[in-house]
């Protein structure tokens, strides 16, 4: 009798744990995405494995993806595929803001993320009545934080239709839907906005997906009003990176492969590219340098969560609740996290090289003459 009771109790506890981890547990920061909701974006269930294989084949040698015009033209489509594959996993395991931020003493990761985003609004001098552009908005975490903090209206652009739907749903739940926060599906290399139509613009760890940074900066310059500001947080290699060091090369290639990057740029290239696009460079700063605390701490703390989530995903795949291929995507992201951590610890990589740029006021007369 006692053995039967113990077995029954164990079964109930086991079922309760499965229920908790699979059905109750939501995103790391904001509940709303559960393990059973992993859909792999707009990819149909039977195509997830194939799309992952195609993605991995294309980005196997990151530097080669932007060396020819033909391959560079394919990058946006594969970035779209990447975000179909990872968006639900990001929301489930990370939150609604797909970026890093320096750790803050005694503060949660969510607080640190919000402070990092609000810094953008402060740098732009954003205020009520302003219309800002979020270049590469994801599911809109930064957009909502910046709109709430500054009182500005924000328009976000993302290449991924599934992210548009997720962002709009989150905006409604937050009471920040249109016109406070609008989301447009489009390519930031050719944006569907009129010239000189925004009072400010920002990009948070998004322009790294562009084969040529000049093309993104040129588009931002075009849609920004003369005299207005643009802030970008760029993923770059630092002067500590040495191309002759095999360990450094493998680390950087691992970051590029696992994050749909057609090649990381050097830190010392960014200002020159901005000037080439016509901007004035007002400030440059690596926000990851001391006294900032490590941005990769959260990745290291997430190792236990990885094993837990990996088990959950495997069980869901076995039960055919999650589509085949999700485990491979999750494994790719874990391996990428190891490369990102190594890049942060060695100092050869930073995801937050901040540039504050201004479109010259004189551009107004130049644009008038061009008309």
């Amino acid at each position: 009798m006692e053995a039967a009771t113990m077995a029954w109790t164990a079964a109930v506890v086991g079922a309760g744990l499965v229920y908790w981890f699979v059905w109750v547990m939501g995103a790391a920061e904001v509940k709303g995405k559960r393990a059973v909701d992993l859909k792999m974006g707009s990819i149909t269930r039977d195509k997830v494995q194939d799309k992952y294989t195609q993605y991995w084949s294309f980005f196997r040698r990151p530097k080669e993806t932007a060396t020819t015009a033909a391959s560079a033209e394919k990058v946006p489509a594969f970035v779209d595929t990447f975000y179909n594959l990872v968006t639900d996993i990001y929301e489930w395991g990370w939150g609604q803001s797909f970026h890093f931020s320096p750790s803050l003493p005694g503060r949660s990761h969510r607080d640190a993320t919000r402070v990092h985003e609000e810094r953008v609004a402060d740098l732009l001098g954003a205020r009520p009545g302003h219309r800002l552009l979020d270049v590469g908005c994801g599911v809109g975490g930064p957009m909502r934080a910046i709109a709430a903090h500054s009182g500005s209206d924000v328009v976000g652009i993302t290449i991924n239709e599934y992210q548009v739907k997720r962002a709009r749903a989150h905006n409604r739940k937050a009471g920040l839907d249109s016109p406070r926060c609008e989301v447009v599906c489009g390519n930031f290399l050719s944006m569907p906005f009129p010239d000189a139509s925004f009072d400010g613009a920002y990009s948070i760890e998004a322009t790294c997906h562009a084969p040529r940074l000049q093309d993104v900066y040129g588009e931002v310059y075009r849609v920004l009003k003369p005299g207005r500001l643009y802030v970008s947080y760029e993923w770059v290699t630092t002067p500590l990176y040495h191309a002759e060091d095999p360990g450094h090369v493998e680390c950087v290639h691992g970051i590029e492969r696992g994050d749909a990057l057609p090649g990381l740029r050097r830190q010392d290239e960014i200002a020159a590219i901005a000037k080439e696009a016509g901007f004035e460079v007002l400030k440059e700063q690596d926000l990851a340098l001391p006294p900032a605390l490590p941005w990769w701490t959260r990745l290291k703390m997430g190792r236990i969560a990885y094993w837990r989530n990996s088990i959950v995903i495997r069980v869901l795949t076995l039960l055919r609740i999650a589509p085949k291929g999700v485990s491979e995507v999750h494994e790719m992201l874990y391996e990428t996290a190891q490369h990102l951590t190594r890049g942060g610890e060695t100092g050869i990589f930073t995801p937050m090289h901040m540039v504050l740029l201004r479109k010259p006021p004189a551009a107004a007369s130049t644009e008038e003459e061009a008309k």
Side-chain angles (χ1 to χ4, degrees):
M1 187 68 177
E2 290 184 2
T5 302
M6 290 178 63
W8 176 251
T9 301
V12 171
V13 171
L17 288 173
V18 170
Y19 175 81
W20 174 261
F21 282 124
V22 177
W23 273 271
V24 177
M25 187 174 64
E29 299 295 349
V30 181
K31 303 294 181 183
K33 176 59 67 175
R34 302 177 303 167
V36 291
D37 296 327
L38 299 179
K39 293 177 180 149
M40 303 294 100
S42 59
I43 301 174
T44 58
R45 291 176 61 89
D46 60 324
K47 297 295 183 184
V48 172
Q49 186 82 57
D50 290 342
K51 287 294 186 180
Y52 169 73
T53 301
Q54 292 168 16
Y55 164 81
W56 191 250
S57 296
F58 184 75
F59 279 103
R60 185 174 64 254
R61 298 182 180 88
K63 293 292 185 184
E64 296 177 13
T65 61
T67 53
T68 67
S71 60
E73 286 179 2
K74 296 178 183 177
V75 170
F78 278 100
V79 170
D80 182 31
T81 294
F82 173 76
Y83 280 111
N84 273 323
L85 292 170
V86 306
T87 291
D88 278 354
I89 295 178
Y90 277 1
E91 278 203 65
W92 176 47
W94 192 263
Q96 296 173 16
S97 295
F98 299 173
H99 63 80
F100 299 106
S101 57
S103 300
L104 296 177
R107 306 283 291 276
S108 68
H109 295 305
R110 188 176 181 182
D111 287 342
T113 297
R114 189 185 68 252
V115 168
H116 197 53
E117 292 165 350
E118 290 176 351
R119 183 201 295 257
V120 169
D122 295 338
L123 286 167
L124 292 175
R127 61 178 186 271
H130 278 182
R131 186 169 182 256
L132 308 180
L133 173 63
D134 184 330
V135 183
C137 66
V139 298
M143 170 193 302
R144 289 182 289 280
I146 289 169
H149 178 68
S150 67
S152 300
D153 295 337
V154 184
V155 178
I157 184 170
T158 171
I159 200 168
N160 185 261
E161 183 63 46
Y162 182 70
Q163 288 190 337
V164 171
K165 295 175 182 176
R166 294 294 300 164
R168 287 174 178 170
H170 288 311
N171 291 346
R172 285 193 297 271
K173 289 179 183 177
L176 289 169
D177 51 351
S178 183
R180 292 301 313 284
C181 291
E182 300 179 38
V183 190
V184 174
C185 188
N187 187 341
F188 58 33
L189 299 176
S190 180
M191 294 190 280
F193 307 120
D195 295 355
S197 53
F198 289 97
D199 300 295
Y202 64 89
S203 49
I204 300 180
E205 303 181 26
T207 57
C208 49
H209 293 300
R212 283 172 31 94
L213 189 61
Q214 294 93 326
D215 297 336
V216 191
Y217 280 9
E219 273 294 274
V220 175
Y221 184 92
R222 178 182 68 79
V223 302
L224 200 59
K225 294 177 181 178
R228 298 307 173 92
L229 304 179
Y230 170 45
V231 176
S232 189
Y233 292 172
E234 298 288 347
W235 281 32
V236 295
T237 57
T238 74
L240 296 178
Y241 172 76
H242 299 295
E244 66 276 9
D245 186 322
H248 287 191
V249 172
E250 176 55 30
C251 176
V252 167
H253 282 185
I255 293 171
E256 293 168 338
R257 286 193 301 266
D259 283 299
L261 308 183
L264 282 168
R265 283 167 272 273
R266 298 193 319 269
Q267 196 171 48
D268 61 5
E269 292 180 294
I270 306 303
I273 292 173
K275 291 175 182 176
E276 180 184 333
F279 283 110
E280 299 171 346
V281 179
L282 303 184
K283 186 176 183 180
E284 260 193 299
Q285 182 183 355
D286 183 357
L287 301 179
L289 292 177
L293 297 179
W295 54 266
W296 61 90
T297 302
R298 188 177 176 190
L299 290 173
K300 297 184 73 171
M301 291 174 63
R303 289 177 181 176
I304 294 176
Y306 161 75
W307 290 109
R308 175 199 63 200
N309 292 351
S310 181
I311 292 171
V312 170
I313 287 174
R314 290 178 189 277
V315 170
L316 292 176
T317 303
L318 185 64
L319 295 175
R320 297 187 179 181
I321 295 173
K324 186 179 179 182
V326 177
S327 292
E328 288 87 342
V329 175
H330 188 256
E331 179 66 25
M332 176 189 75
L333 294 179
Y334 176 71
E335 292 179 2
T336 305
Q338 308 314 301
H339 291 299
L340 287 163
T341 300
R342 195 172 304 119
E345 290 178 332
T346 58
I348 66 173
F349 163 77
T350 176
M352 51 192 73
H353 180 72
M354 185 277 293
V355 286
L356 176 62
L357 312 175
R358 180 172 64 182
K359 182 175 181 176
S365 57
T366 304
E367 289 171 359
E368 278 298 318
E369 290 173 6
K371 292 177 182 178

